[in-house]
Amino acid sequence: MAPGQLAVGEPGTARIAVDLLGGDQAPAVVVDGALRACQADPALHLLLVGPLEAAGEVLAALPPSEHARISTLPIAPGDPVDSWVESGVRSAVLAVAQGTADAVLSAGNTGATVTSAALGLGRRPGVRRPPLAAVLPTRAGRLVLLDVGSSVDPDEETVATHARLGSAYAKVVHGVTEPRVGLLTIGTERGKGDRLRRALPQLLAGLDLPGGGRYVGLVEGNDVVTGAIADVVVTDGFTGNVLLKGLETAYAEVGSPNPAIPPRAALLLGVDGTVVVCHGAASGADLAAGIAFAAQLHRQAAVAAMAEMIETRRGVS
Amino acid sequence: MAPGQLAVGEPGTARIAVDLLGGDQAPAVVVDGALRACQADPALHLLLVGPLEAAGEVLAALPPSEHARISTLPIAPGDPVDSWVESGVRSAVLAVAQGTADAVLSAGNTGATVTSAALGLGRRPGVRRPPLAAVLPTRAGRLVLLDVGSSVDPDEETVATHARLGSAYAKVVHGVTEPRVGLLTIGTERGKGDRLRRALPQLLAGLDLPGGGRYVGLVEGNDVVTGAIADVVVTDGFTGNVLLKGLETAYAEVGSPNPAIPPRAALLLGVDGTVVVCHGAASGADLAAGIAFAAQLHRQAAVAAMAEMIETRRGVS
């Protein structure tokens, strides 16, 4: 099989382009994650994007009968190092754009991944800055938190778009009937919060949210733990990232509020393709969970379903 | 004894002015907290600021032999309600300014408390906006997080001042020999974070921190859980409040990373007096812990020690 080509075999096959160069301990931890993912899902095919030696380690660890599930897209070391590393995620995104892979998984620089995906796959109508949506376990089940690192200084319209995307996500991926969408702030009295938070409630209250979603008002950090008030919580990418890393680490240290622990991976919303991002410090198990999550989203055609839900609602298509 | 006068008896006595009107379930939960605090600490005297009926509930629940420990400062209902409620914390602060109480405890509106304290007690030199410092348990021990709700849109100089205050706090209250001070952000690569976070590292690296403190660079949400990198973490009051409420609730739900759980109360730094703030949703146990914390800070003369440490360092006094 030619490099970059993956067999499309049985129904349910998912072809995930994996960025071997992304992550604090790349490629070793990505090799580990890729192997774990292959072992867990016989219908998974991987396109390993990065140095040939790292891809070779995955092949060497798999029995020859499994080698047909692995393709490679070599990235040669370049100069400067940054652009070499980032060319991995760019090539992975391109493979999805060209139809040789179904989804991307990267634990690399978030900004590079978001930019590559926006340029390589295209943004949906109305989406200025695609947000990263993470899922946290809650006492009540699970909760979508966005943005968690893409838009650090968003304007009001960007957060409103993220509320729409988050509502569709909860409906399509989590099967929530009428997603409750809340705005994260620091006190539910009127006038609390910073400039952005004081301006947003009126805008959010006027939105027609897809998937039967409704805006439920202001929520606080504690509500992200309990899940009692909202299924979707919108915030700027700075606050979201800090809260996500804090809570995920707290749950890893002392236990989760819910035995059903979602993958520690975020989905990039508002682009024309399935792009899953893991933390830079992700473990092999986290990367395997991220790959499995990308495969699940592809199999349920989640990205297309969300786009249709949002754009029908907005009268775009 | 006249209203507003507390006996100063044995050494170690602490006279705490308690805002009966502050908190989502005031005054009932404050009455509960005041009683618990009295029962736990025989050298505690309380000045109950608020409606006489609520203060009467505390007295009725205590044996007559204990009544000398309780004074009252009646606040009559006024119009509009907001200014009535806020007059409780203003009067409590005034009692400290006049020397009839040693510290204030309020679970009321944070903005009103900060403003009342800044006006009624005065700010230390160089302090534009006094920050609220909370303490979180970590795997390694405990960590000072500030600001947690006072400055939601701080400028660089304000955060730098907070770093100095936090360093002195860790030294004086926690006995940390050389406090490690970190800046909360969303990725330790250069250039990550929003405008404030990109500008701050250079300023913080140049500070002469009191108490032997040193700036250790960028930290992330996960580092606030582990405590491995920093003893003091500075951030804006919006992010700090969201993270604090998230982590405190996570620890309450699933367990703390450390059996020594600090009081769920924050100290207002940079004012000339001891002002402790509880969450609006604080329980009776939280309020009792907050009162005990205020008493402890008074007994160790922590506020004066921090001010001396900072101003000697800066050459102000």
Side-chain angles (χ1 to χ4, degrees):
Chain A
M1 208 179 321
Q5 297 295 314
L6 289 174
V8 185
E10 60 275 48
T13 295
R15 303 167 305 163
I16 313 301
V18 175
D19 172 18
L20 289 173
L21 291 168
D24 300 345
Q25 278 147 19
V29 76
V30 190
V31 166
D32 178 38
L35 276 171
R36 288 166 181 255
C38 280
Q39 283 152 4
D41 179 354
L44 187 70
H45 290 227
L46 297 184
L47 173 61
L48 301 176
V49 183
L52 268 181
E53 316 81 72
E57 288 179 44
V58 176
L59 284 167
L62 288 172
S65 59
E66 301 283 309
H67 285 193
R69 293 166 59 193
I70 307 294
S71 290
T72 58
L73 187 56
I75 303 283
D79 197 13
V81 170
D82 275 0
S83 76
W84 168 49
V85 168
E86 292 181 4
S87 70
V89 73
R90 278 199 300 273
S91 300
V93 163
L94 208 61
V96 172
Q98 293 171 340
T100 53
D102 300 314
V104 175
L105 184 286
S106 178
N109 180 283
T110 300
T113 304
V114 174
T115 303
S116 296
L119 293 174
L121 299 171
R123 292 169 297 173
R124 301 301 308 177
V127 177
R128 211 171 309 175
R129 179 77 180 170
L132 280 165
V135 179
L136 279 163
T138 66
R139 198 199 311 164
R142 55 188 169 174
L143 176 146
V144 181
L145 178 67
L146 75 167
D147 174 48
V148 296
S150 170
S151 297
V152 292
D153 273 326
D155 60 15
E156 297 163 40
E157 281 299 332
T158 297
V159 178
T161 299
H162 295 179
R164 279 191 282 263
L165 293 165
S167 186
Y169 183 82
K171 174 75 172 185
V172 168
V173 179
H174 294 170
V176 178
T177 312
E178 294 180 340
R180 301 165 299 168
V181 178
L183 173 65
L184 188 60
T185 188
I186 62 170
T188 50
E189 305 97 334
R190 201 162 48 87
K192 294 266 277 195
D194 60 4
R195 285 187 291 267
L196 180 69
R197 261 51 68 150
R198 289 192 297 269
L200 267 169
Q202 201 181 351
L203 178 60
L204 294 176
L207 291 181
D208 189 14
L209 293 169
R214 59 196 169 86
Y215 174 63
V216 295
L218 302 173
V219 301
E220 300 189 59
N222 40 301
D223 301 312
V224 176
V225 175
T226 66
I229 296 179
D231 306 298
V232 178
V233 170
V234 288
T235 189
D236 66 280
F238 187 89
T239 308
N241 185 283
V242 165
L243 183 61
L244 175 71
K245 286 177 178 162
L247 289 181
E248 279 188 346
T249 306
Y251 298 153
E253 292 273 321
V254 295
S256 170
N258 194 306
I261 301 175
R264 287 153 57 108
L267 176 64
L268 188 65
L269 298 179
V271 294
D272 256 340
T274 304
V275 178
V276 172
V277 169
C278 286
H279 297 301
S283 66
D286 289 333
L287 284 155
I291 292 169
F293 181 49
Q296 173 215 319
L297 292 166
H298 164 67
R299 285 168 178 145
Q300 68 176 105
V303 168
M306 285 188 268
E308 194 188 342
M309 186 176 285
I310 292 169
E311 285 151 33
T312 305
R313 197 81 183 175
R314 298 177 70 228
V316 170
S317 63
Chain B
M1 209 180 319
Q5 296 297 312
L6 289 173
V8 186
E10 61 275 49
T13 294
R15 304 165 304 160
I16 313 300
V18 176
D19 172 17
L20 288 173
L21 291 167
D24 300 346
Q25 278 147 19
V29 76
V30 189
V31 167
D32 179 37
L35 276 171
R36 289 167 180 254
C38 280
Q39 283 153 3
D41 179 356
L44 187 70
H45 290 228
L46 298 184
L47 172 61
L48 301 175
V49 183
L52 268 181
E53 315 82 72
E57 286 179 47
V58 176
L59 285 167
L62 288 172
S65 60
E66 301 283 310
H67 285 194
R69 293 166 58 193
I70 307 293
S71 289
T72 57
L73 186 57
I75 303 285
D79 196 14
V81 170
D82 275 0
S83 76
W84 169 50
V85 168
E86 292 180 5
S87 71
V89 72
R90 279 198 300 273
S91 301
V93 163
L94 208 61
V96 172
Q98 294 170 340
T100 53
D102 300 314
V104 176
L105 185 284
S106 178
N109 180 282
T110 301
T113 304
V114 175
T115 303
S116 297
L119 293 175
L121 299 172
R123 293 168 296 173
R124 301 300 308 177
V127 177
R128 212 172 307 176
R129 179 79 180 168
L132 280 165
V135 179
L136 279 163
T138 64
R139 198 199 311 164
R142 55 189 168 174
L143 175 145
V144 181
L145 179 67
L146 76 165
D147 172 47
V148 297
S150 170
S151 297
V152 293
D153 274 326
D155 60 14
E156 297 162 40
E157 280 299 333
T158 297
V159 178
T161 299
H162 295 178
R164 278 191 283 263
L165 292 165
S167 186
Y169 183 85
K171 173 75 173 185
V172 168
V173 180
H174 293 170
V176 178
T177 311
E178 294 179 341
R180 300 165 300 166
V181 178
L183 172 66
L184 189 60
T185 188
I186 63 170
T188 49
E189 304 95 334
R190 202 161 46 87
K192 293 267 277 197
D194 59 4
R195 284 186 290 266
L196 181 68
R197 260 52 68 149
R198 288 192 297 269
L200 267 169
Q202 202 181 349
L203 179 60
L204 294 176
L207 290 182
D208 189 14
L209 294 168
R214 58 196 169 86
Y215 174 63
V216 294
L218 303 174
V219 302
E220 301 189 59
N222 40 301
D223 301 313
V224 176
V225 175
T226 66
I229 296 179
D231 305 298
V232 178
V233 170
V234 288
T235 188
D236 66 279
F238 187 90
T239 307
N241 186 284
V242 165
L243 183 61
L244 175 70
K245 286 177 178 161
L247 288 181
E248 280 188 345
T249 306
Y251 298 153
E253 292 274 321
V254 296
S256 169
N258 194 307
I261 301 175
R264 286 153 58 108
L267 176 64
L268 189 65
L269 299 178
V271 294
D272 256 340
T274 304
V275 179
V276 172
V277 169
C278 286
H279 297 301
S283 67
D286 290 332
L287 284 156
I291 292 169
F293 181 48
Q296 173 214 319
L297 292 167
H298 165 67
R299 285 168 177 146
Q300 69 177 105
V303 168
M306 286 187 269
E308 193 189 342
M309 186 175 284
I310 291 170
E311 285 150 33
T312 304
R313 197 81 183 172
R314 297 177 70 228
V316 170
S317 63

